[in-house]
Amino acid sequence: MLSIFGKKKISENNVANIVVNFIFKHTENGFPELIEIVENTPEFIVKPDIDPENIEDFLMIVLVGNLNFIPIYFNPDQEQRLRDKIIEKFAKATQLDVATLKTQIKTYKDFMVRVNHPSKNMIYAMSKSFFRKYGLNDCQEEFFRTQKVPNPMFQKRLDSVMTTYIFNWEQFIGKYKVV
């Protein structure tokens, strides 16, 4: 219910539930479409063969990408509490203990930063990480394959797709006040 003075209040716990549900829903529903886009990419000389059941790497890429955007919208204290709640709920949903998940998040984030260096754009990091984790370099023409970078046309297409997996914090905080 909107208050007279503005935004509806929502707890950090409920926000964490919403974000975790968003990540799972969009990743599970969107992965087959992403595979189809990748498999029909005209820039590849060999058709990629991604197993639709092999979603774990993509799920972690999306989680890390989403966690990276939280500090943009929240103060450091609230950002840390939200991150912790999201990680806790995500760990429970994946039947991992929190410490194991935090280690995996750190490993993926380090990998994403490394493959995206020197850029700090997280969407690019997500695309390049997907490209590497799913072995797409082997599907390209020799010029890009030897450089171990995605064809720029494919990269642009993949960047556009990756934005759909990021929670829309701007819209959310326009409607809600997180308490």
Side-chain angles (χ1 to χ4, degrees):
M1 173 180 219
L2 288 177
S3 70
I4 296 172
F5 299 106
K7 302 175 188 179
K8 182 179 177 182
K9 293 180 180 178
I10 187 168
S11 72
E12 291 172 351
N13 192 56
N14 285 341
V15 172
N17 282 331
I18 291 167
V19 172
V20 170
N21 286 333
F22 168 88
I23 291 170
F24 276 108
K25 178 183 173 192
H26 281 74
T27 303
E28 290 171 359
N29 292 341
F31 193 59
E33 292 174 26
L34 177 57
I35 291 172
E36 186 177 326
I37 289 168
V38 170
E39 288 179 345
N40 293 313
T41 295
E43 291 83 20
F44 290 141
I45 58 170
V46 174
K47 183 178 178 181
D49 185 25
I50 299 173
D51 179 0
E53 300 296 315
N54 185 10
I55 195 171
E56 292 82 17
D57 284 324
F58 183 56
L59 186 60
M60 288 302 298
I61 291 167
V62 171
L63 173 62
V64 171
N66 274 284
L67 290 174
N68 191 72
F69 284 93
I70 295 172
I72 297 169
Y73 299 98
F74 297 95
N75 68 53
D77 292 335
Q78 194 169 37
E79 177 259 333
Q80 189 58 54
R81 288 191 308 271
L82 275 173
R83 281 179 59 84
D84 289 346
K85 288 178 188 306
I86 290 168
I87 290 168
E88 177 186 313
K89 291 174 185 303
F90 198 92
K92 186 175 181 180
T94 56
Q95 299 176 338
L96 293 171
D97 64 88
V98 172
T100 301
L101 181 58
K102 284 183 176 182
T103 300
Q104 286 183 354
I105 289 169
K106 182 177 179 352
T107 301
Y108 272 84
K109 184 168 185 172
D110 291 347
F111 173 77
M112 292 167 76
V113 167
R114 189 175 71 250
V115 300
N116 195 39
H117 183 75
S119 174
K120 297 198 185 302
N121 183 315
M122 185 50 67
I123 298 296
Y124 296 172
M126 291 171 67
S127 297
K128 289 178 182 176
S129 297
F130 179 84
F131 177 82
R132 290 274 183 94
K133 289 287 186 180
Y134 288 92
L136 300 179
N137 191 53
D138 297 336
C139 302
Q140 328 188 79
E141 62 186 70
E142 185 178 355
F143 177 77
F144 295 110
R145 190 173 55 244
T146 57
Q147 292 184 10
K148 297 182 181 173
V149 296
N151 178 308
M153 297 301 292
F154 175 68
Q155 175 80 45
K156 186 175 180 178
R157 189 174 308 112
L158 196 54
D159 292 343
S160 176
V161 172
M162 288 299 161
T163 62
T164 65
Y165 295 99
I166 299 298
F167 187 76
N168 190 339
W169 285 109
E170 266 186 49
Q171 182 181 13
F172 188 81
I173 62 174
K175 289 177 146 179
Y176 298 98
K177 177 171 177 57
V178 181
V179 293

Coordinates of all heavy atoms in Angstrom, one line a residue, residues 9-78:
K9 N 6.8 0.7 1.7 CA 8.0 0.1 2.4 C 8.0 -1.4 2.2 O 7.0 -2.1 2.2 CB 7.9 0.4 3.9 CG 8.0 1.9 4.2 CD 7.9 2.2 5.7 CE 8.1 3.7 5.9 NZ 8.0 4.0 7.3
I10 N 9.3 -1.9 2.1 CA 9.5 -3.3 1.9 C 10.7 -3.7 2.7 O 11.7 -3.0 2.7 CB 9.6 -3.7 0.4 CG1 9.6 -5.2 0.2 CG2 10.7 -3.0 -0.3 CD1 9.4 -5.7 -1.2
S11 N 10.7 -4.9 3.4 CA 11.8 -5.3 4.2 C 13.0 -5.8 3.3 O 12.8 -6.3 2.2 CB 11.4 -6.4 5.2 OG 11.1 -7.6 4.5
E12 N 14.2 -5.7 3.9 CA 15.3 -6.2 3.2 C 15.2 -7.7 2.9 O 15.6 -8.2 1.9 CB 16.6 -6.0 4.0 CG 17.0 -4.5 4.1 CD 18.1 -4.2 5.0 OE1 18.5 -5.1 5.8 OE2 18.6 -3.1 5.0
N13 N 14.5 -8.4 3.9 CA 14.3 -9.9 3.7 C 13.4 -10.1 2.5 O 13.7 -11.0 1.7 CB 13.7 -10.4 5.0 CG 13.7 -11.9 5.0 OD1 14.7 -12.6 4.8 ND2 12.5 -12.5 5.1
N14 N 12.3 -9.4 2.3 CA 11.5 -9.5 1.2 C 12.2 -9.2 -0.1 O 12.0 -9.8 -1.2 CB 10.2 -8.7 1.3 CG 9.2 -9.4 2.3 OD1 9.3 -10.5 2.6 ND2 8.3 -8.6 2.8
V15 N 13.0 -8.1 -0.1 CA 13.8 -7.8 -1.3 C 14.7 -8.9 -1.7 O 14.8 -9.2 -2.9 CB 14.6 -6.5 -1.0 CG1 15.5 -6.2 -2.2 CG2 13.7 -5.3 -0.8
A16 N 15.3 -9.5 -0.7 CA 16.2 -10.6 -1.0 C 15.4 -11.8 -1.7 O 15.9 -12.4 -2.6 CB 16.9 -11.1 0.3
N17 N 14.3 -12.1 -1.1 CA 13.4 -13.1 -1.8 C 13.1 -12.8 -3.2 O 13.2 -13.6 -4.1 CB 12.1 -13.3 -1.0 CG 12.3 -14.1 0.3 OD1 13.1 -14.9 0.4 ND2 11.4 -13.8 1.3
I18 N 12.7 -11.5 -3.4 CA 12.4 -11.1 -4.8 C 13.6 -11.2 -5.7 O 13.4 -11.7 -6.9 CB 11.8 -9.6 -4.8 CG1 10.5 -9.6 -4.1 CG2 11.8 -9.0 -6.2 CD1 10.0 -8.2 -3.7
V19 N 14.7 -10.8 -5.3 CA 15.9 -10.9 -6.2 C 16.3 -12.3 -6.5 O 16.6 -12.7 -7.6 CB 17.1 -10.1 -5.5 CG1 18.4 -10.3 -6.3 CG2 16.8 -8.6 -5.5
V20 N 16.3 -13.2 -5.4 CA 16.7 -14.6 -5.7 C 15.7 -15.2 -6.6 O 16.0 -15.9 -7.5 CB 16.8 -15.3 -4.3 CG1 16.9 -16.8 -4.5 CG2 18.0 -14.8 -3.5
N21 N 14.4 -15.0 -6.4 CA 13.4 -15.5 -7.3 C 13.5 -15.0 -8.7 O 13.4 -15.8 -9.7 CB 12.0 -15.2 -6.8 CG 11.6 -16.0 -5.6 OD1 12.1 -17.1 -5.4 ND2 10.7 -15.5 -4.7
F22 N 13.9 -13.7 -8.9 CA 14.1 -13.1 -10.2 C 15.3 -13.9 -10.9 O 15.1 -14.2 -12.0 CB 14.4 -11.6 -10.0 CG 15.0 -11.0 -11.3 CD1 14.1 -10.5 -12.2 CD2 16.4 -11.0 -11.5 CE1 14.6 -9.9 -13.4 CE2 16.9 -10.4 -12.7 CZ 16.0 -9.9 -13.6
I23 N 16.4 -14.1 -10.1 CA 17.5 -14.7 -10.7 C 17.2 -16.1 -11.2 O 17.5 -16.5 -12.3 CB 18.7 -14.7 -9.7 CG1 19.2 -13.3 -9.5 CG2 19.8 -15.6 -10.2 CD1 20.2 -13.1 -8.4
F24 N 16.5 -16.9 -10.3 CA 16.2 -18.3 -10.7 C 15.2 -18.3 -11.9 O 15.4 -19.0 -12.8 CB 15.6 -19.1 -9.5 CG 16.7 -19.6 -8.6 CD1 17.0 -19.1 -7.4 CD2 17.5 -20.7 -9.1 CE1 18.0 -19.6 -6.6 CE2 18.5 -21.3 -8.3 CZ 18.7 -20.7 -7.0
K25 N 14.2 -17.5 -11.8 CA 13.1 -17.5 -12.8 C 13.7 -17.1 -14.2 O 13.5 -17.8 -15.2 CB 12.0 -16.6 -12.4 CG 10.9 -16.5 -13.5 CD 9.8 -15.5 -13.0 CE 8.8 -15.3 -14.2 NZ 8.0 -14.2 -13.9
H26 N 14.4 -16.0 -14.2 CA 14.9 -15.5 -15.5 C 16.0 -16.4 -16.0 O 16.1 -16.6 -17.2 CB 15.4 -14.1 -15.3 CG 14.3 -13.1 -15.4 ND1 13.5 -12.9 -14.3 CD2 13.9 -12.3 -16.4 CE1 12.6 -12.0 -14.6 NE2 12.8 -11.6 -15.9
T27 N 16.8 -17.0 -15.2 CA 17.9 -17.8 -15.6 C 17.3 -19.2 -16.2 O 17.7 -19.6 -17.3 CB 18.9 -18.1 -14.5 OG1 19.4 -16.9 -14.0 CG2 20.1 -19.0 -15.0
E28 N 16.5 -19.8 -15.4 CA 15.9 -21.0 -15.8 C 15.0 -20.9 -17.1 O 15.1 -21.7 -18.0 CB 15.1 -21.7 -14.7 CG 16.0 -22.2 -13.6 CD 15.2 -22.6 -12.3 OE1 14.0 -22.5 -12.3 OE2 15.9 -23.1 -11.4
N29 N 14.2 -19.8 -17.1 CA 13.3 -19.6 -18.3 C 14.1 -19.1 -19.5 O 13.8 -19.4 -20.6 CB 12.2 -18.6 -18.0 CG 11.2 -19.2 -17.0 OD1 11.1 -20.4 -16.8 ND2 10.5 -18.3 -16.3
G30 N 15.2 -18.3 -19.3 CA 15.9 -17.7 -20.4 C 17.0 -18.5 -20.9 O 17.5 -18.2 -22.0
F31 N 17.5 -19.5 -20.2 CA 18.7 -20.2 -20.7 C 18.4 -20.9 -22.0 O 19.3 -20.8 -22.9 CB 19.1 -21.2 -19.6 CG 20.5 -21.8 -19.9 CD1 21.6 -21.0 -20.0 CD2 20.7 -23.2 -20.0 CE1 22.9 -21.5 -20.2 CE2 21.9 -23.7 -20.2 CZ 23.0 -22.9 -20.3
P32 N 17.3 -21.6 -22.2 CA 17.0 -22.2 -23.5 C 17.0 -21.2 -24.6 O 17.5 -21.5 -25.7 CB 15.7 -22.9 -23.3 CG 15.5 -23.1 -21.9 CD 16.2 -21.9 -21.2
E33 N 16.5 -20.0 -24.4 CA 16.5 -19.0 -25.4 C 17.9 -18.5 -25.7 O 18.2 -18.2 -26.9 CB 15.6 -17.8 -25.0 CG 14.1 -18.1 -24.9 CD 13.3 -17.0 -24.4 OE1 13.7 -15.8 -24.5 OE2 12.2 -17.3 -23.8
L34 N 18.7 -18.3 -24.7 CA 20.1 -17.9 -24.8 C 20.8 -18.9 -25.6 O 21.6 -18.6 -26.6 CB 20.7 -17.7 -23.5 CG 22.2 -17.3 -23.5 CD1 22.5 -16.0 -24.3 CD2 22.7 -17.2 -22.0
I35 N 20.6 -20.2 -25.4 CA 21.3 -21.3 -26.1 C 20.9 -21.2 -27.6 O 21.7 -21.3 -28.5 CB 20.9 -22.7 -25.6 CG1 21.6 -22.8 -24.2 CG2 21.4 -23.8 -26.5 CD1 21.1 -24.1 -23.5
E36 N 19.6 -20.9 -27.8 CA 19.1 -20.8 -29.2 C 19.8 -19.6 -29.9 O 20.2 -19.8 -31.1 CB 17.6 -20.6 -29.2 CG 17.0 -20.7 -30.6 CD 15.5 -20.6 -30.6 OE1 14.9 -21.1 -29.7 OE2 15.0 -19.9 -31.5
I37 N 19.9 -18.5 -29.3 CA 20.6 -17.3 -29.8 C 22.0 -17.7 -30.2 O 22.5 -17.4 -31.3 CB 20.5 -16.1 -28.9 CG1 19.1 -15.6 -28.8 CG2 21.5 -15.0 -29.3 CD1 18.8 -14.6 -27.7
V38 N 22.7 -18.3 -29.2 CA 24.1 -18.7 -29.4 C 24.3 -19.7 -30.6 O 25.1 -19.5 -31.4 CB 24.7 -19.2 -28.1 CG1 26.1 -19.8 -28.3 CG2 24.8 -18.1 -27.1
E39 N 23.4 -20.7 -30.6 CA 23.5 -21.7 -31.6 C 23.2 -21.2 -33.0 O 23.7 -21.7 -34.0 CB 22.6 -22.9 -31.3 CG 23.1 -23.7 -30.1 CD 22.3 -24.9 -29.8 OE1 21.1 -24.9 -30.2 OE2 22.7 -25.8 -29.0
N40 N 22.5 -20.1 -33.1 CA 22.1 -19.5 -34.4 C 22.9 -18.3 -34.7 O 22.6 -17.5 -35.6 CB 20.6 -19.2 -34.4 CG 19.8 -20.4 -34.4 OD1 20.0 -21.4 -35.1 ND2 18.8 -20.5 -33.5
T41 N 24.1 -18.1 -34.1 CA 24.9 -17.0 -34.3 C 25.7 -17.1 -35.6 O 26.4 -18.1 -35.8 CB 25.9 -16.8 -33.1 OG1 25.2 -16.5 -32.0 CG2 26.9 -15.7 -33.4
P42 N 25.5 -16.2 -36.5 CA 26.1 -16.3 -37.8 C 27.7 -16.2 -37.8 O 28.4 -16.6 -38.7 CB 25.5 -15.2 -38.7 CG 25.0 -14.2 -37.7 CD 24.6 -15.0 -36.5
E43 N 28.2 -15.6 -36.7 CA 29.6 -15.4 -36.6 C 30.4 -16.7 -36.3 O 31.6 -16.7 -36.4 CB 30.0 -14.3 -35.6 CG 29.5 -12.9 -35.9 CD 28.1 -12.6 -35.6 OE1 27.4 -13.3 -34.8 OE2 27.5 -11.7 -36.2
F44 N 29.7 -17.7 -35.9 CA 30.4 -18.9 -35.5 C 30.5 -19.8 -36.8 O 29.6 -19.9 -37.6 CB 29.6 -19.7 -34.4 CG 29.7 -19.1 -33.1 CD1 28.6 -19.1 -32.3 CD2 30.9 -18.5 -32.6 CE1 28.7 -18.5 -31.0 CE2 30.9 -17.9 -31.4 CZ 29.8 -17.9 -30.6
I45 N 31.7 -20.4 -36.9 CA 31.9 -21.3 -38.1 C 31.6 -22.8 -37.7 O 31.4 -23.6 -38.5 CB 33.3 -21.2 -38.6 CG1 34.4 -21.5 -37.6 CG2 33.6 -19.8 -39.3 CD1 35.8 -21.6 -38.1
V46 N 31.5 -23.0 -36.4 CA 31.1 -24.3 -35.9 C 29.9 -24.0 -34.9 O 30.0 -23.1 -34.1 CB 32.3 -25.0 -35.1 CG1 31.8 -26.3 -34.4 CG2 33.5 -25.2 -35.9
K47 N 28.9 -24.8 -35.1 CA 27.7 -24.6 -34.3 C 28.0 -25.0 -32.8 O 28.4 -26.2 -32.6 CB 26.5 -25.4 -34.8 CG 25.2 -25.2 -34.1 CD 24.1 -25.9 -34.7 CE 22.8 -25.7 -33.8 NZ 21.7 -26.4 -34.3
P48 N 27.8 -24.1 -31.9 CA 28.0 -24.4 -30.5 C 27.0 -25.5 -30.0 O 25.9 -25.6 -30.5 CB 27.7 -23.1 -29.7 CG 27.9 -22.1 -30.8 CD 27.5 -22.7 -32.1
D49 N 27.5 -26.3 -29.1 CA 26.6 -27.4 -28.6 C 26.6 -27.3 -27.1 O 27.4 -27.9 -26.4 CB 27.2 -28.8 -29.0 CG 26.2 -29.9 -28.6 OD1 25.0 -29.7 -28.4 OD2 26.7 -31.0 -28.4
I50 N 25.7 -26.4 -26.6 CA 25.5 -26.2 -25.2 C 24.4 -27.1 -24.6 O 23.3 -27.1 -25.1 CB 25.2 -24.7 -24.9 CG1 26.4 -23.8 -25.4 CG2 25.0 -24.5 -23.4 CD1 26.1 -22.3 -25.3
D51 N 24.8 -27.9 -23.6 CA 23.8 -28.7 -22.9 C 22.8 -27.9 -22.1 O 23.2 -27.1 -21.3 CB 24.6 -29.7 -22.0 CG 23.6 -30.7 -21.3 OD1 22.4 -30.6 -21.4 OD2 24.2 -31.5 -20.5
P52 N 21.5 -28.0 -22.4 CA 20.5 -27.2 -21.7 C 20.5 -27.5 -20.2 O 20.0 -26.7 -19.4 CB 19.2 -27.5 -22.4 CG 19.5 -28.4 -23.6 CD 20.9 -28.8 -23.5
E53 N 21.0 -28.6 -19.8 CA 21.1 -29.0 -18.4 C 22.3 -28.4 -17.7 O 22.3 -28.3 -16.5 CB 21.1 -30.5 -18.2 CG 19.9 -31.2 -18.9 CD 18.6 -30.8 -18.2 OE1 18.5 -30.8 -16.9 OE2 17.6 -30.6 -18.9
N54 N 23.2 -27.8 -18.4 CA 24.4 -27.3 -17.9 C 24.3 -25.8 -17.6 O 24.9 -24.9 -18.2 CB 25.6 -27.5 -18.9 CG 26.9 -27.0 -18.3 OD1 27.0 -26.7 -17.1 ND2 27.9 -27.0 -19.2
I55 N 23.4 -25.5 -16.7 CA 23.0 -24.1 -16.3 C 23.8 -23.5 -15.2 O 23.8 -22.3 -14.9 CB 21.5 -24.1 -16.1 CG1 21.0 -22.6 -16.1 CG2 21.1 -24.8 -14.8 CD1 19.5 -22.5 -16.1
E56 N 24.5 -24.4 -14.4 CA 25.2 -23.9 -13.2 C 26.1 -22.7 -13.4 O 26.1 -21.8 -12.6 CB 25.9 -25.1 -12.5 CG 25.0 -26.2 -12.0 CD 24.6 -27.2 -13.0 OE1 25.2 -27.2 -14.1 OE2 23.6 -27.9 -12.8
D57 N 27.0 -22.8 -14.4 CA 27.9 -21.7 -14.6 C 27.1 -20.4 -14.9 O 27.4 -19.3 -14.4 CB 28.9 -22.0 -15.8 CG 30.0 -23.0 -15.4 OD1 30.4 -22.9 -14.2 OD2 30.3 -23.8 -16.2
F58 N 26.1 -20.5 -15.8 CA 25.3 -19.4 -16.1 C 24.6 -18.8 -14.9 O 24.6 -17.6 -14.7 CB 24.3 -19.7 -17.2 CG 23.5 -18.5 -17.7 CD1 24.2 -17.4 -18.2 CD2 22.2 -18.5 -17.7 CE1 23.5 -16.3 -18.6 CE2 21.4 -17.4 -18.1 CZ 22.1 -16.3 -18.6
L59 N 24.1 -19.6 -14.1 CA 23.4 -19.2 -12.8 C 24.4 -18.4 -12.0 O 24.0 -17.4 -11.4 CB 22.8 -20.4 -12.1 CG 22.0 -20.1 -10.9 CD1 20.7 -19.3 -11.2 CD2 21.5 -21.5 -10.3
M60 N 25.6 -18.9 -11.8 CA 26.6 -18.2 -11.0 C 27.0 -16.9 -11.6 O 27.2 -15.9 -10.9 CB 27.8 -19.1 -10.8 CG 27.5 -20.2 -9.8 SD 26.9 -19.7 -8.2 CE 28.3 -18.7 -7.6
I61 N 27.1 -16.8 -12.9 CA 27.4 -15.6 -13.6 C 26.4 -14.5 -13.4 O 26.6 -13.4 -13.1 CB 27.7 -15.8 -15.2 CG1 28.9 -16.6 -15.4 CG2 27.7 -14.5 -15.9 CD1 29.1 -17.2 -16.8
V62 N 25.1 -15.0 -13.5 CA 24.0 -14.0 -13.3 C 23.9 -13.6 -11.8 O 23.7 -12.4 -11.5 CB 22.6 -14.7 -13.7 CG1 21.4 -13.8 -13.3 CG2 22.6 -14.9 -15.2
L63 N 24.2 -14.5 -10.9 CA 24.2 -14.1 -9.5 C 25.3 -13.1 -9.2 O 25.0 -12.0 -8.6 CB 24.4 -15.3 -8.6 CG 24.6 -15.0 -7.1 CD1 23.4 -14.4 -6.5 CD2 25.0 -16.3 -6.3
V64 N 26.5 -13.3 -9.6 CA 27.6 -12.4 -9.4 C 27.3 -11.1 -10.1 O 27.5 -10.0 -9.5 CB 28.9 -13.0 -9.9 CG1 30.0 -12.0 -9.9 CG2 29.3 -14.2 -9.0
G65 N 26.8 -11.1 -11.3 CA 26.5 -9.9 -12.0 C 25.5 -9.0 -11.2 O 25.6 -7.8 -11.0
N66 N 24.4 -9.7 -10.7 CA 23.4 -9.0 -9.9 C 23.9 -8.4 -8.6 O 23.6 -7.3 -8.2 CB 22.2 -9.9 -9.7 CG 21.2 -9.8 -10.9 OD1 20.5 -8.8 -11.0 ND2 21.3 -10.8 -11.7
L67 N 24.8 -9.2 -7.9 CA 25.3 -8.7 -6.7 C 26.2 -7.5 -6.9 O 26.3 -6.6 -6.1 CB 26.1 -9.8 -6.0 CG 25.4 -11.0 -5.4 CD1 26.3 -12.1 -4.9 CD2 24.4 -10.6 -4.3
N68 N 26.8 -7.4 -8.1 CA 27.7 -6.3 -8.4 C 27.0 -5.0 -8.5 O 27.5 -3.9 -8.3 CB 28.5 -6.6 -9.7 CG 29.6 -5.6 -9.9 OD1 30.6 -5.6 -9.2 ND2 29.4 -4.7 -10.9
F69 N 25.7 -5.0 -8.9 CA 24.9 -3.8 -9.1 C 24.3 -3.2 -7.8 O 23.9 -2.1 -7.8 CB 23.8 -4.0 -10.1 CG 24.3 -4.0 -11.5 CD1 24.7 -5.2 -12.1 CD2 24.5 -2.9 -12.2 CE1 25.2 -5.3 -13.4 CE2 25.0 -2.9 -13.5 CZ 25.4 -4.1 -14.1
I70 N 24.2 -4.0 -6.7 CA 23.6 -3.5 -5.5 C 24.3 -2.3 -4.9 O 23.6 -1.4 -4.5 CB 23.6 -4.7 -4.5 CG1 22.6 -5.8 -5.0 CG2 23.1 -4.2 -3.1 CD1 22.6 -7.1 -4.2
P71 N 25.6 -2.2 -4.9 CA 26.2 -1.0 -4.3 C 25.9 0.3 -5.0 O 26.0 1.4 -4.4 CB 27.7 -1.3 -4.4 CG 27.9 -2.7 -4.6 CD 26.6 -3.2 -5.2
I72 N 25.5 0.2 -6.2 CA 25.1 1.5 -6.9 C 23.9 2.1 -6.3 O 23.7 3.3 -6.3 CB 24.8 1.1 -8.4 CG1 26.1 0.6 -9.1 CG2 24.3 2.3 -9.2 CD1 25.9 0.0 -10.5
Y73 N 23.0 1.3 -5.7 CA 21.7 1.8 -5.3 C 21.5 1.9 -3.8 O 20.5 2.4 -3.3 CB 20.6 0.9 -5.9 CG 20.6 0.9 -7.4 CD1 21.2 -0.1 -8.1 CD2 20.0 2.0 -8.1 CE1 21.2 0.0 -9.5 CE2 20.1 2.1 -9.4 CZ 20.7 1.0 -10.1 OH 20.7 1.1 -11.5
F74 N 22.5 1.3 -3.0 CA 22.3 1.3 -1.5 C 23.6 1.8 -0.8 O 24.7 1.6 -1.4 CB 21.9 -0.1 -1.1 CG 20.6 -0.6 -1.6 CD1 20.6 -1.4 -2.8 CD2 19.4 -0.2 -1.0 CE1 19.4 -1.8 -3.3 CE2 18.2 -0.6 -1.5 CZ 18.2 -1.4 -2.7
N75 N 23.4 2.3 0.4 CA 24.5 2.7 1.2 C 25.3 1.4 1.6 O 24.7 0.3 1.6 CB 24.1 3.6 2.4 CG 23.4 2.8 3.4 OD1 23.8 1.8 3.9 ND2 22.2 3.3 3.8
P76 N 26.6 1.5 2.0 CA 27.4 0.3 2.3 C 26.8 -0.6 3.3 O 26.8 -1.8 3.1 CB 28.7 0.9 2.8 CG 28.8 2.3 2.1 CD 27.4 2.8 2.1
D77 N 26.2 -0.1 4.4 CA 25.6 -1.0 5.4 C 24.4 -1.8 4.8 O 24.3 -3.0 5.0 CB 25.1 -0.1 6.6 CG 26.3 0.4 7.4 OD1 27.4 -0.1 7.3 OD2 26.1 1.5 8.1
Q78 N 23.5 -1.1 4.2 CA 22.3 -1.7 3.6 C 22.7 -2.7 2.5 O 22.2 -3.8 2.4 CB 21.3 -0.7 3.1 CG 19.9 -1.3 2.9 CD 18.9 -0.3 2.7 OE1 19.1 0.8 2.1 NE2 17.7 -0.6 3.2

